[in-house]
Amino acid sequence: VPDGEVYAWFKDDGAVPVATGDTLVISNISFADEGTYVCKAQSSLVTNFEIRTTYELMVNATDRERDSLALVDIYNAGDGPNWVNADNWLTGVISDWEGVEIDTASGRVVTLGINQMNMGGNGGTLSPSIGNLTALTRFEIQNAPNLTGSIPAELWNCTEIGRLQLKYTGLTGGIPAGIESMVNAYELNFQQSYLGGPIPPEIFE
């Protein structure tokens, strides 16, 4: 009905609409756009009536492609252009990038060590895309005092990690829920990263 409709688009569990038109257009789709979108349509001519349409949006990519795109997200969010010893990032084959190790059989990223590289250079964060590196067995960030923000909960998707070090960073906030997923962890090292809040009791289990 012309002039009678109202639309609102919501992503995942968000309470604030991401759009209010009858069509939602997402350009330059990235991993951050993945999720469940719900369009709620109402009419001012009909009370107590609502139509909902749900869309599941996933990026169509192989695990190796997801690894590649995740590394690019991590580089961009962490102020990659100001990293040191990282001139080979985003160029050439991934196995040659500083701090990156690849499993030769699967082609997946198994080690990511952003150490002494000034991650966060002039200000940056750890991208939630870290959660797409699901084959990681070791993840380290050291000496990144300008890396700010909190630990993304998506990190706990990387359940193969044994050694996790986030040392001498500017990360703040609490340890997000879900750390009990790290069933292969034998080392958790947050030295000189000024996290707050209680230690999750799951660690002691």
Side-chain angles (χ1 to χ4, degrees):
V1 180
D3 301 321
E5 311 96 339
V6 176
Y7 299 91
W9 290 85
F10 298 88
K11 181 176 184 290
D12 297 328
D13 296 324
V16 178
V18 296
T20 55
D22 59 352
T23 302
L24 173 63
V25 177
I26 302 175
S27 302
N28 301 318
I29 292 177
S30 68
F31 288 128
D33 296 313
E34 287 189 329
T36 301
Y37 292 82
V38 177
C39 178
K40 298 180 181 180
Q42 296 177 317
S43 172
S44 60
L45 305 179
V46 184
T47 59
N48 300 320
F49 182 73
E50 179 179 275
I51 297 175
R52 297 189 183 196
T53 304
T54 302
Y55 298 88
E56 296 287 345
L57 176 62
M58 296 291 291
V59 175
N60 184 19
T62 66
D63 287 338
R64 293 175 64 177
E65 290 169 337
R66 284 177 172 271
D67 283 0
S68 175
L69 294 173
L71 290 174
V72 173
D73 284 350
I74 291 166
Y75 180 86
N76 289 333
D79 193 31
N82 286 305
W83 292 4
V84 296
N85 301 322
D87 293 339
N88 58 0
W89 269 66
L90 309 191
T91 62
V93 295
I94 291 177
S95 57
D96 291 338
W97 295 7
E98 182 70 23
V100 177
E101 292 183 11
I102 303 293
D103 176 71
T104 54
S106 67
R108 300 291 309 277
V109 176
V110 292
T111 296
L112 180 57
I114 310 176
N115 300 328
Q116 328 302 329
M117 291 169 62
N118 191 39
M119 185 180 184
N122 293 326
T125 60
L126 176 56
S127 171
S129 291
I130 183 67
N132 288 307
L133 298 177
T134 54
L136 275 183
T137 59
R138 193 174 82 206
F139 177 47
E140 302 173 2
I141 299 174
Q142 297 182 20
N143 292 343
N146 294 323
L147 182 68
T148 60
S150 58
I151 299 173
E154 288 81 359
L155 177 59
W156 309 144
N157 294 337
C158 304
T159 57
E160 298 300 318
I161 289 179
R163 182 177 183 177
L164 173 63
Q165 294 189 347
L166 303 176
K167 299 171 56 176
Y168 295 90
T169 75
L171 294 171
T172 56
I175 297 175
I179 197 169
E180 64 273 13
S181 299
M182 308 298 283
V183 294
N184 292 297
Y186 60 84
E187 178 181 340
L188 301 173
N189 190 331
F190 302 128
Q191 182 182 0
Q192 293 293 105
S193 287
Y194 297 98
L195 306 178
I199 297 174
E202 291 83 1
I203 287 179
F204 302 102
E205 299 173 8

